Amino acid sequence: GSQPAVDVPRDDLDADPYDSKYFTRDTRRRYVDPEFPHSDVEMLKLQMQDQNDPEVIEAKKQLEAGPPSSPGNGCRFATGPSDFDP
C-alpha cells in the first residue's frame, strides 16, 4: 500500500515506551512540601517570633512534622464501597 509499515516497539514487558507519567520524572520537586516549599526560611521566621506564643509553638510542630500523608478515599471506589484492606 501507500502507507509506511507500522512501527511496533520491541521492548520488554516492563519497559513502557509510551510512559507519560509526569511525577515519576519530576525530580526537581519530588521532595518539596507544597505547603512549605522553603522550610528553612519558614523556620527562621518562626525563630524570630515569640517562642512562648502557642501559635508559634504549633507552627513549629507542624513544620517539623513535614507534609502529612494522603488521607486516601476511605475504600470508596466508582463501583461502591469496598471491604478490601491489605
Side-chain angles (χ1 to χ4, degrees), residues 18-86:
Y18 304 110
D19 184 12
S20 62
K21 291 184 291 208
Y22 174 73
F23 293 107
T24 58
R25 299 186 316 255
D26 187 16
T27 56
R28 185 171 68 86
R29 290 180 288 226
R30 182 175 293 165
Y31 301 108
V32 174
D33 181 2
E35 190 171 347
F36 299 110
H38 303 289
S39 59
D40 52 343
V41 175
E42 293 296 324
M43 186 56 83
L44 286 172
K45 289 179 186 177
L46 290 172
Q47 289 173 351
M48 289 188 232
Q49 297 180 16
D50 180 16
Q51 298 301 306
N52 297 324
D53 185 3
E55 291 181 6
V56 173
I57 294 171
E58 183 62 32
K60 274 186 161 181
K61 286 180 187 176
Q62 183 180 3
L63 186 63
E64 289 170 356
S69 179
S70 171
N73 65 357
C75 294
R76 295 205 171 268
F77 301 98
T79 56
S82 173
D83 60 357
F84 175 75
D85 189 13

